[in-house]
């Protein structure tokens, strides 16, 4: 097959040496599995090489200390929230927060949504109990449904096709938003909004790798990231993202060793290109002060001009007294502040924040107007992790640029 965006699919020889990927759906026996993979492999890329190049220059500016990055959105996107009204509301919150960050820091802000493909979730436990019944856990709309019934939780590869169509719809809206903003803003940096998601499901991502002339790229999103559970230096996911021209990101949690971190950076950023690699630090407020200095020193001694982002949410998740997952805004503010101070002290640029934020006034995290755990059930609508509401996110950003 020829043409500007040729599918290269999954070259099995290339992957044979890798251990089998973790956190994958169990759907290979489904009668439509092969045909769903084939449909994806012959579908057009959802992003272009040109867009990827624009994002890379924006990220290079962040790596150089000249701009900030705000990456924000839902923990898990829903297939039911891809219409214009939903996307407009999500983009309005992203832009509002980014504008606030720009005004507070005096720097341009690159905007990246957890949007247009964030449909798959890594999970700690494969099974959960609902009313005493063991159920296969919800893994994102690309894999199964959140409804608590055995049928709804079956892994269905046809969902990859729905995820592709939903992503195409959202990416079309992002493109229109970028075009409208470019004519008005006239800024040097293409501030986005760009798409990003956890490139978790190998059947989906590997079948959306494309090549155009000499450039091999991931066609599913602008900025794929690797989750904290799938970032082993020799893992499938690291191999996949090391092979593409997209800028890539990786979550860094407390179990990382300095040896693994060096190996990971060497694989994902072998050429030491500014902005090629974004490290999303999610250590938790209890250990960040102890762990982050050595992490920063390791990356810098390896010569990697990375973008440093804080994800102050995933290391601070709690189960509240009523059994609901929540996070305290105060903990989130603490971790982000500590991150910023440590980066400054070591002479590196705190590049920005990676957040789970809802477009609506949800009651999922405690803080601000959500004062008590009794308020959590009022508007707790997340499909997965608890998100900040826009007011809570604004409070966090304020503490970030005021340095408190
Ligand atoms: C997430 O970002 O929703 C997530 C699961 O993060 P992590 O891989 O850092 O746990
Ligand atoms: Mn999450």
């Amino acid at each position: 097959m020829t043409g500007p965006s040729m599918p290269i699919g999954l070259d099995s020889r290339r992957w044979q040496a890798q251990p089998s990927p973790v956190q994958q759906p169990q759907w290979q026996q489904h009668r439509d599995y092969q045909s769903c993979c084939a449909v994806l492999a012959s579908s057009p890329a959802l992003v272009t090489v040109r867009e990827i190049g624009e994002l890379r220059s924006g990220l290079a500016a962040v790596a150089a200390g000249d701009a900030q990055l705000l990456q924000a959105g839902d923990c898990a996107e829903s297939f039911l929230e891809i219409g214009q009204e939903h996307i407009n509301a999500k983009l309005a919150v992203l832009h509002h927060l980014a504008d606030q960050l720009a005004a507070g820091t005096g720097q341009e802000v690159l905007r990246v949504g957890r949007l247009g493909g964030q449909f798959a979730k890594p999970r700690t436990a494969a099974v959960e109990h609902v009313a005493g019944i063991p159920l296969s856990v919800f893994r994102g709309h690309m894999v199964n449904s959140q409804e608590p019934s055995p049928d709804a939780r079956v892994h269905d590869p046809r969902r990859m096709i729905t995820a592709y169509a939903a992503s195409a719809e959202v990416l079309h809206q992002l493109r229109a938003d970028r075009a409208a903003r470019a004519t008005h803003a006239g800024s040097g940096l293409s501030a986005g909004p760009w798409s990003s998601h956890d490139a978790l499901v190998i059947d989906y991502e590997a079948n959306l790798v494309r090549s155009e002339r000499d450039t091999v790229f991931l066609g599913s999103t602008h900025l794929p990231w690797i989750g904290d559970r799938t970032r082993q230096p020799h893992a499938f996911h690291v191999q996949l993202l090391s092979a593409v021209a997209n800028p890539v990101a990786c979550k860094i949690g407390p179990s990382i060793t300095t040896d693994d971190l060096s190996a990971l950076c060497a694989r994902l950023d072998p050429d030491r290109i500014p902005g090629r690699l974004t490290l999303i630090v999610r250590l938790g407020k209890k250990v960040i002060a102890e762990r982050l200095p050595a992490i920063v020193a390791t990356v810098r001694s390896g010569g990697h001009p990375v973008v440093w982002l804080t994800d102050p949410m995933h290391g601070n998740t709690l189960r509240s007294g009523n059994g609901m997952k929540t996070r305290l805004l105060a903990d989130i503010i603490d971790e982000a502040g500590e991150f910023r101070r440590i980066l400054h002290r070591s002479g590196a640029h705190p590049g920005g924040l990676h957040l789970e934020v809802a477009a609506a006034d949800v009651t999922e995290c405690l803080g601000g107007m959500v004062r008590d755990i009794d308020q959590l059930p009022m508007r707790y609508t997340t499909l997965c992790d608890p998100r900040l509401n826009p007011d809570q996110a604004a409070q966090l950003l304020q503490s970030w640029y005021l340095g408190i």
Side-chain angles (χ1 to χ4, degrees), residues 238-262:
V238 175
Q239 287 299 306
L240 178 67
L241 293 203
S242 69
V244 297
N246 309 56
V248 300
C250 187
K251 295 285 200 95
I252 302 296
S255 66
I256 196 140
T257 62
T258 44
D259 281 355
D260 275 3
L261 180 61
S262 297

Side-chain angles (χ1 to χ4, degrees), residues 16-93:
Q16 261 164 20
Q18 311 310 321
S20 39
V22 295
Q23 295 280 344
Q24 297 307 294
Q26 299 303 306
W27 55 25
Q28 288 74 7
Q29 306 310 320
H30 192 285
R31 57 201 259 275
D32 295 321
Y33 170 70
Q34 297 290 351
S35 63
C36 289
C37 291
V39 166
L40 286 176
S42 64
S43 298
L46 296 171
V47 299
T48 67
V49 170
R50 189 198 170 112
E51 290 169 349
I52 287 169
E54 281 181 38
L55 173 57
R56 277 183 82 138
S57 25
L59 287 165
V62 181
D66 298 331
Q68 296 269 311
L69 169 57
L70 179 64
Q71 185 178 17
D74 294 311
C75 177
E77 282 181 276
S78 166
F79 282 171
L80 303 179
E81 290 187 2
I82 55 153
Q84 186 105 49
E85 266 178 44
H86 286 290
I87 302 307
N88 281 348
K90 290 176 195 206
L91 288 178
V93 169

Side-chain angles (χ1 to χ4, degrees), residues 76-133:
E77 282 181 276
S78 166
F79 282 171
L80 303 179
E81 290 187 2
I82 55 153
Q84 186 105 49
E85 266 178 44
H86 286 290
I87 302 307
N88 281 348
K90 290 176 195 206
L91 288 178
V93 169
L94 180 62
H95 288 314
H96 180 77
L97 293 172
D99 290 344
Q100 180 195 347
L101 188 57
T105 59
Q107 292 196 312
E108 279 194 77
V109 178
L110 192 58
R111 295 126 205 255
V112 177
R114 291 175 59 114
L115 197 57
Q118 177 53 14
F119 294 117
K121 300 307 302 170
R123 301 308 301 264
T124 306
V127 171
E128 68 172 344
H129 287 80
V130 178
I133 299 168

